[in-house]
Amino acid sequence: MTDMGKDKVIGFGLIGAGMIANYHARAIAGLAAEGCKVRLAGVADLSLQSAERLAEEHHIPFFTDDVEALLARDDVDVVCIVTPSGAHLEPALQAIAAGKHLVIEKPLEVTVERVNRLLDAADQAGVLVAAIFQGRFGMAARTIKKAIDDGRFGRLVLCSAYVKWHRAADYYKGWKGSLALDGGGAVMNQAIHAVDLLQWLAGMPAEVSAFTTRRVHLQIEAEDTCCATFRYQNGALGTLEATTAAYPGWERRVEICGAFGSAALEDDRIVRWDFQDPLPDDATILSDNRTGAGSGAGAPDQISHEGHQKQLREVVDALTGQKPLSVTGREALKTVALVRAIYASAEQNSPVQLNNL
């Protein structure tokens, strides 16, 4: 934790002005509306026109096509990196050199090596790195996590995720689906939230075996479909099914099954909650867990900024010394490592062992 003091107004800056930048801007505005002492001070993008457009839409006082100009501002304490995935490292290193704390969209970067370069630089500079995995902040996901930690599931048996989404052909333009900037396809970009939830809930797998293919989006470099199997450190097994080629797109589903109970999560809504020894609150959990998080099943712009807002509030709390950060850079590295292991298994056509992180 750091401690900026509870009375300081924390200034945020955005590097990148694409679609996801809007969610960060809305989340920061939402925090301000709640009385949180935050301010969105500026945005930088390689396209000055894009930066200006975002600034006008969200009433951001400063915009530029020069990252260094944004980083030189005294009213910017935290920088949100919302560039394409494979272009996170370079602006992050610039921000670290300027002494700015970082919030980085998923994934932190597209290879373990690039993530480690980023995190090592941040550690040396003493700046905070938070990684956006807003799925962990949903009430339903946290309810399942607590039940696991409390031992309600007993010995875990199967821990699996299904991301059967749809993306229209025109989604894959520019950097989307490229290996250099997207880092992969359906797993790295879309299913990574489910992969992160699995490793958060069940732990890191000890072994991964996977297949990837292109079934519909034949023009892209990366996969549009993947199947993987997991053997977890605790002995449980699991699967991942991920695609962006399944019309019309179903809600992301995560299933946790154990000796004493099982649960299923669709987006951030618990749809199964069955335990050998029921508790009085179980019926309420099934009926009262909708958070308005939205779903990216059919289109990427259908999610809510609510999860980002909850996660950015935790960043503010960490910076003001109120509580530690939960989704640190080192924590998010695990998810990148797991995705890369899935890809390595598919490329090698053999199982891949994961070292403890």
Side-chain angles (χ1 to χ4, degrees):
M1 280 193 297
T2 184
D3 192 349
M4 289 185 169
K6 294 181 181 180
D7 294 328
K8 176 178 171 52
V9 176
I10 296 175
F12 283 82
L14 303 176
I15 298 180
M19 183 199 74
I20 202 65
N22 290 282
Y23 291 88
H24 286 253
R26 292 169 192 154
I28 294 164
L31 288 178
E34 291 178 357
C36 192
K37 294 184 178 180
V38 297
R39 176 175 180 264
L40 182 49
V43 55
D45 191 272
L46 293 176
S47 165
L48 185 61
Q49 183 179 23
S50 296
E52 182 177 14
R53 185 185 308 118
L54 191 81
E56 288 179 353
E57 181 176 352
H58 296 284
H59 309 290
I60 305 170
F62 176 78
F63 65 89
T64 181
D65 58 1
D66 181 0
V67 168
E68 292 295 344
L70 177 70
L71 296 177
R73 293 181 64 91
D74 291 336
D75 59 353
V76 173
D77 305 293
V78 183
V79 172
C80 298
I81 305 290
V82 288
T83 56
S85 303
H88 287 171
L89 175 62
E90 290 77 15
L93 291 177
Q94 290 177 273
I96 290 167
K100 309 300 184 183
H101 300 286
L102 290 171
V103 175
I104 304 178
E105 260 298 335
K106 61 80 184 169
L108 277 180
E109 251 288 352
V110 298
T111 68
V112 171
E113 292 75 19
R114 286 175 70 82
V115 173
N116 276 324
R117 282 183 60 193
L118 191 161
L119 297 180
D120 288 346
D123 286 346
Q124 290 176 12
V127 301
L128 174 149
V129 177
I132 292 291
F133 277 120
Q134 72 270 28
R136 296 193 188 196
F137 290 79
M139 183 176 67
R142 293 197 161 196
T143 298
I144 292 178
K145 174 65 171 173
K146 184 178 186 304
I148 292 172
D149 293 344
D150 289 347
R152 289 201 69 193
F153 288 87
R155 176 172 288 189
L156 296 181
V157 178
L158 289 169
C159 304
S160 301
Y162 309 94
V163 184
K164 300 175 182 180
W165 282 9
H166 178 260
R167 291 292 180 265
D170 62 2
Y171 169 82
Y172 286 109
K173 56 188 177 183
W175 60 276
K176 297 292 179 63
S178 70
L179 297 180
L181 288 179
D182 215 354
V187 180
M188 182 67 86
N189 193 313
Q190 284 77 28
I192 192 167
H193 288 290
V195 172
D196 181 70
L197 284 173
L198 280 180
Q199 74 90 4
W200 180 53
L201 294 170
M204 282 290 284
E207 183 178 83
V208 173
S209 185
F211 296 97
T212 60
T213 188
R214 283 184 291 274
R215 293 297 298 156
V216 173
H217 300 294
L218 305 181
Q219 78 279 18
I220 66 175
E221 291 182 305
E223 84 291 347
D224 70 6
T225 302
C226 173
C227 283
T229 58
F230 302 138
R231 180 171 60 82
Y232 292 94
Q233 301 282 356
N234 59 18
L237 302 178
T239 62
L240 170 71
E241 295 181 15
T243 187
T244 55
Y247 182 84
W250 292 346
E251 290 83 356
R252 179 186 69 211
R253 185 177 176 97
V254 173
E255 297 179 358
I256 304 295
C257 299
F260 302 147
S262 299
L265 180 72
E266 289 188 352
D267 289 327
D268 195 52
R269 182 170 60 92
I270 293 174
V271 295
R272 294 297 301 266
W273 187 256
D274 304 307
F275 289 92
Q276 181 175 290
D277 298 315
L279 294 178
D281 290 341
D282 284 347
T284 302
I285 286 171
L286 268 175
S287 64
D288 186 24
N289 57 72
R290 297 177 183 271
T291 64
S295 174
D301 60 354
Q302 297 304 302
I303 64 171
S304 164
H305 68 274
E306 180 180 307
H308 283 78
Q309 186 168 324
K310 290 178 179 178
Q311 189 161 7
L312 290 183
R313 174 171 285 282
E314 184 187 74
V315 171
V316 171
D317 288 345
L319 290 172
T320 54
Q322 297 180 64
K323 65 179 181 181
L325 199 64
S326 63
V327 192
T328 63
R330 296 292 172 190
E331 177 66 16
L333 171 61
K334 298 177 185 178
T335 301
V336 175
L338 181 48
V339 171
R340 296 312 316 180
I342 290 169
Y343 286 154
S345 175
E347 291 165 6
Q348 300 166 14
N349 195 28
S350 64
V352 167
Q353 308 291 321
L354 282 96
N355 297 321
N356 291 328
L357 293 174

